[in-house]
Amino acid sequence: MCANHRGGRGKGGRGRGKGRFLANYILLIIAEEPTYGYDIATKLDEIGVEKIEGTGQMGRIYRILSELENYGYITSEWDTSKSPPVKVYTVTPLGLEYLKYALESVKQETKMLETFIIRCNDVLKKYDSSNE
């Protein structure tokens, strides 16, 4: 486990649902290939994780990017060949280590959710059949 990890929520993850995995998705996108903020937002939208509308939500992404950089999971460098220049983020070895941990954590949670779904379906079938 990474020294900076806090209880399965992931860096920048807040609350429940898809939002709590946002930092993990951002880190994954950067690990796939070095990229910049608006490209990350587009990719999050394409995979259905986060619909980015307006600067407020971009601010959320940039806060998470800042946290990931502070934890040493990513680095950034300005690409001045583009106009305007963009800050390009690259995953670090520590970031890849964290991704491995996050993957195992999600796998464990998936097993728990699958068990819940099976048991819940069984209970609901039992009650549905008794009402017929």
Side-chain angles (χ1 to χ4, degrees):
M1 174 162 69
C2 295
N4 294 328
H5 181 69
R6 291 185 214 149
R9 292 179 55 156
K11 298 295 169 223
R14 307 278 189 258
R16 305 298 295 160
K18 290 188 292 187
R20 72 186 176 128
F21 292 109
L22 186 57
N24 291 344
Y25 273 107
I26 290 172
L27 186 59
L28 175 61
I29 288 167
I30 295 167
E32 290 173 336
E33 77 177 298
T35 192
Y36 56 96
Y38 280 101
D39 190 47
I40 292 168
T42 300
K43 289 177 180 178
L44 288 169
D45 187 31
E46 287 171 359
I47 59 178
V49 173
E50 189 80 5
K51 180 77 172 162
I52 306 301
E53 298 172 336
T55 56
Q57 288 181 316
M58 279 307 300
R60 181 176 180 208
I61 288 175
Y62 285 117
R63 281 189 300 279
I64 292 170
L65 287 167
S66 178
E67 287 180 8
L68 292 171
E69 194 165 16
N70 287 338
Y71 288 118
Y73 295 166
I74 62 173
T75 59
S76 64
E77 188 173 300
W78 285 98
D79 179 356
T80 57
S81 68
K82 296 184 186 275
S83 181
V86 294
K87 200 172 193 181
V88 176
Y89 298 92
T90 304
V91 72
T92 66
L94 184 60
L96 292 173
E97 180 185 330
Y98 178 78
L99 268 181
K100 288 177 190 175
Y101 174 80
L103 175 60
E104 289 308 311
S105 180
V106 169
K107 284 180 180 179
Q108 289 176 3
E109 189 163 340
T110 299
K111 286 180 186 178
M112 290 180 358
L113 291 171
E114 288 171 349
T115 299
F116 176 83
I117 290 168
I118 291 167
R119 292 180 68 177
C120 192
N121 279 333
D122 290 346
V123 165
L124 293 174
K125 283 179 191 173
K126 180 175 99 176
Y127 283 99
D128 283 345
S129 65
S130 68
N131 290 334
E132 291 177 2

